[in-house]
Amino acid sequence: CPGFANAYYARSLIEPDYSRKVSDLEQVTKLVPGNAEAWMQLGQAYLVLQNEVKAQQCFAEQKKLRSKFGQEPDHY
């Protein structure tokens, strides 16, 4: 349900465990794939977990969305 994206995103912002943060942000990007901010946050979380490949994929998606929507991502 896309309505849960807000809750997942909010929880990810305060979650100290980066594995859980990644899980929440992956849910957000599945529910609202056009949310560039969530992709950026997910990329940063993957960097903390030292998964550079996944981080780069997230940053590439964020960049694609930013250029597609002209700096304004789709929100929840």
Side-chain angles (χ1 to χ4, degrees):
C1 173
F4 291 128
N6 284 331
Y8 285 120
Y9 187 77
R11 186 170 66 182
S12 77
L13 296 176
I14 61 170
E15 178 59 64
D17 180 321
Y18 276 85
S19 294
R20 289 182 180 173
K21 184 182 290 273
V22 162
S23 179
D24 284 344
L25 289 166
E26 284 179 343
Q27 287 297 321
V28 175
T29 59
K30 286 178 187 172
L31 295 169
V32 187
N35 186 313
E37 181 66 23
W39 284 106
M40 189 220 24
Q41 293 289 334
L42 182 56
Q44 290 177 340
Y46 274 125
L47 281 179
V48 170
L49 295 174
Q50 300 180 354
N51 189 334
E52 292 186 28
V53 172
K54 286 279 201 174
Q56 290 304 320
Q57 291 170 346
C58 294
F59 293 140
E61 185 64 26
Q62 180 222 13
K63 184 178 178 180
K64 181 176 79 173
L65 289 168
R66 292 261 188 222
S67 62
K68 180 179 178 182
F69 295 111
Q71 301 301 319
E72 291 297 323
D74 280 352
H75 291 285
Y76 310 110

